[in-house]
Amino acid sequence: MSESVITLNDSQFDEEILSSEVPILVDFWAEWCGPCKKLSPIVDEIAQEESHRLRVAKLNVDENPETQRRFEVMSIPTLILFRDGSPVARFVGAKPKRQLLEDLEEHL
Amino acid sequence: MSNQRDLIIIGSGPAGLTSAIYAARAQLAPLIIEGEPSSTSDQPGGQLMLTTEVENYPGFVEGIMGPELMDIFRQQAQRFGAEFQPGKVSSILNSSSPFELEISGSSSILRAKSLIIATGAKPLMLGIDREAELLGHGVSTCATCDGFFFRDMEIAVVGGGDSALEEALFLTRFAKKVHLVHRRNELRASKIMQKRALENEKIIPHWNSVVSKIYGDASLTGVELSDTESHNTTHLSIQGLFVAIGHIPNTEIFRDKIEMDETGYIVTRNGTQTNIPGIFAAGDVQDRVYRQAITSAGSGCMAAIDAERWIAERE
């Protein structure tokens, strides 16, 4: 994982999300999920390239069931974009980088 | 501008990767256009990427995980110099060798003397209201990704083939009950899978039934089942729905260029030849009958040998 990506967990989730001055994209993933592994390096690249206007974080749903349930994540990978502490967009499923960037663009 | 290659292989499932191994060993330096990330089986590695244990691939006495098997195939192809490019072919620009290909997300045109089409098949969805909206909110295309979230819940799997039963059995690890909805009164899955599924007390079969409606606003709350004979409807309260009702070949981009049957499978003759000299097809994209990893791999091998001979004859 690249250094610019934050690792979130149930205990610091709110603090990290609320303290972010730019929108923050959270990747909900787990070890057993094949498509998550394909999406993960794409998310890392986006973290690097968009660092001027976006923060990127990852949350392991296996280890952090509370946050997974709270945001009703029932399919992974799911990416949720938070602005000012609230979810503003949700993207379900692995997809090519260019498509993910397109999806994100509308909300940034 | 890229150089012209001897061979481009489109697709990276068992057929594409086996043809890559053979073609690379034959010094054809193949390029594999391997697909794009997705949460359906339409992704690099293909349908096996979403399966768990593969028990019938020869050589693996104890079985092997589908994604691991595809990773081994890929490494073996790379060992002999096969090159990989992520992306999908968006169109073939001409219909005689050398062929020119456009790739999604790339502005350059790729050229090759011959092509092997191994784009496989993608899963059919039900195509009814609310299905797309509830994707990720109870409706799932990936049991191995999402099964975990349905712990102690009631869910349904639609379908009666090996894929459906494999999903249903996998999902019994998590779910309280797995309703198996099948439109006929018998399963078409292999006997061993049927036995395992029907002996599992968490799996409840619903014969002669189809899902006619999907209910749920924010997330899935249930489905309506229609009896295919009496047309009576019943309501099933479930929180998860997994669809495994079959596949359609990934051949949209070849329409009007390459001969297909009425359901879109590429027609091959004399081994793996298509109607266009220099274009070969292997795996599920041209096989509506067997559709196994081993038969795909076998036809991938055939396609590489056919392509190699075709190239050699023209030089």
Side-chain angles (χ1 to χ4, degrees):
Chain A
M1 204 184 291
S2 85
E3 283 171 29
S4 47
V5 176
I6 309 155
T7 301
L8 293 176
N9 59 46
D10 281 346
S11 56
Q12 36 78 303
F13 187 89
D14 283 331
E15 190 189 322
E16 289 283 348
I17 294 289
L18 281 168
S19 68
S20 181
E21 294 191 351
V22 290
I24 179 163
L25 182 70
V26 183
D27 177 8
F28 291 78
W29 70 284
E31 199 56 57
W32 71 80
C33 158
C36 297
K37 290 183 184 161
K38 297 287 150 60
L39 189 67
S40 184
I42 294 175
V43 169
D44 291 348
E45 282 175 32
I46 291 175
Q48 295 270 343
E49 291 161 15
E50 303 290 328
S51 60
H52 57 290
R53 57 173 182 164
L54 181 70
R55 288 176 82 201
V56 172
K58 296 191 186 189
L59 181 113
N60 182 322
V61 294
D62 216 356
E63 293 161 6
N64 301 286
E66 196 184 298
T67 310
Q68 171 255 320
R69 278 196 294 269
R70 189 168 136 210
F71 293 99
E72 296 176 337
V73 172
M74 297 294 275
S75 183
I76 52 173
T78 284
L79 300 174
I80 303 180
L81 184 69
F82 291 84
R83 182 181 284 119
D84 304 325
S86 305
V88 291
R90 180 190 278 246
F91 316 100
V92 178
K95 55 186 76 173
K97 184 178 173 188
R98 107 190 97 74
Q99 199 183 323
L100 183 55
L101 284 172
E102 257 172 49
D103 292 349
L104 270 173
E105 196 58 44
E106 302 177 35
H107 303 279
L108 289 178
Chain B
M1 280 300 157
S2 61
N3 296 327
Q4 177 179 301
R5 287 178 179 267
D6 281 334
L7 175 65
I8 290 178
I9 296 163
I10 310 169
S12 61
L17 293 177
T18 304
S19 65
I21 292 167
Y22 273 77
R25 287 193 78 243
Q27 309 292 317
L28 294 178
L31 175 72
I32 297 93
I33 310 296
E34 63 178 339
E36 292 181 324
S38 128
S39 286
T40 73
S41 59
D42 187 9
Q43 61 167 295
Q47 292 170 48
L48 285 183
M49 298 305 285
L50 297 184
T51 63
T52 52
E53 197 101 74
V54 179
E55 292 183 330
N56 55 7
Y57 199 87
F60 297 92
V61 180
E62 304 298 328
I64 182 167
M65 301 301 274
E68 196 187 339
L69 182 61
M70 287 300 89
D71 191 44
I72 294 173
F73 273 44
R74 196 176 190 280
Q75 288 179 34
Q76 195 173 350
Q78 277 177 320
R79 184 184 150 206
F80 298 111
E83 286 176 57
F84 290 82
Q85 178 172 329
K88 282 184 168 180
V89 171
S90 45
S91 72
I92 299 182
L93 300 172
N94 56 354
S95 52
S96 65
S97 177
F99 302 101
E100 297 188 335
L101 304 178
E102 273 184 340
I103 312 296
S104 61
S106 159
S107 54
S108 59
I109 304 276
L110 299 177
R111 289 181 183 75
K113 286 182 199 163
S114 77
L115 301 177
I116 293 174
I117 298 173
T119 48
K122 64 177 168 225
L124 282 166
M125 297 299 287
L126 295 170
I128 58 180
D129 264 7
R130 304 295 302 150
E131 184 182 34
E133 290 83 354
L134 292 175
L135 204 60
H137 303 278
V139 178
S140 173
T141 61
C142 179
T144 54
C145 306
D146 303 339
F148 175 82
F149 302 117
F150 297 92
R151 182 154 284 156
D152 299 323
M153 295 184 191
E154 267 190 66
I155 62 172
V157 173
V158 190
D162 275 338
S163 309
L165 297 198
E166 193 203 319
E167 285 199 0
L169 282 162
F170 174 76
L171 290 165
T172 59
R173 297 185 201 178
F174 310 101
K176 187 166 62 182
K177 276 185 190 169
V178 178
H179 297 273
L180 181 68
V181 180
H182 186 46
R183 64 192 161 129
R184 301 190 202 288
N185 62 4
E186 57 180 6
L187 300 166
R188 85 192 124 76
S190 59
K191 292 285 181 259
I192 185 171
M193 293 299 282
Q194 289 198 29
K195 185 166 184 292
R196 281 185 201 165
L198 298 175
E199 280 177 358
N200 190 307
E201 55 192 25
K202 281 187 173 180
I203 296 181
I204 301 144
H206 297 258
W207 305 109
N208 300 316
S209 299
V210 292
V211 173
S212 43
K213 281 188 181 135
I214 295 177
Y215 298 105
D217 292 323
S219 63
L220 178 76
T221 56
V223 292
E224 179 191 81
L225 298 185
S226 293
D227 188 295
T228 54
E229 288 170 352
S230 67
H231 302 289
N232 289 338
T233 58
T234 49
H235 185 86
L236 199 58
S237 291
I238 50 165
Q239 289 147 299
L241 180 67
F242 296 79
V243 180
I245 53 172
H247 293 83
I248 43 166
N250 290 316
T251 53
E252 304 81 28
I253 56 164
F254 309 116
R255 194 153 290 151
D256 304 324
K257 291 206 170 74
I258 292 173
E259 187 186 346
M260 299 173 195
D261 69 12
E262 66 287 350
T263 45
Y265 286 88
I266 291 177
V267 175
T268 50
R269 47 178 74 82
N270 298 329
T272 61
Q273 291 178 23
T274 68
N275 62 314
I276 299 185
I279 302 186
F280 304 87
D284 284 11
V285 77
Q286 51 86 54
D287 171 19
R288 56 155 71 241
V289 180
Y290 304 103
R291 298 178 302 176
Q292 303 298 304
I294 186 67
T295 52
S296 285
S299 71
C301 161
M302 290 161 62
I305 293 173
D306 289 344
E308 184 192 351
R309 290 187 180 153
W310 187 84
I311 292 165
E313 277 165 17
R314 286 163 52 89
E315 275 167 0

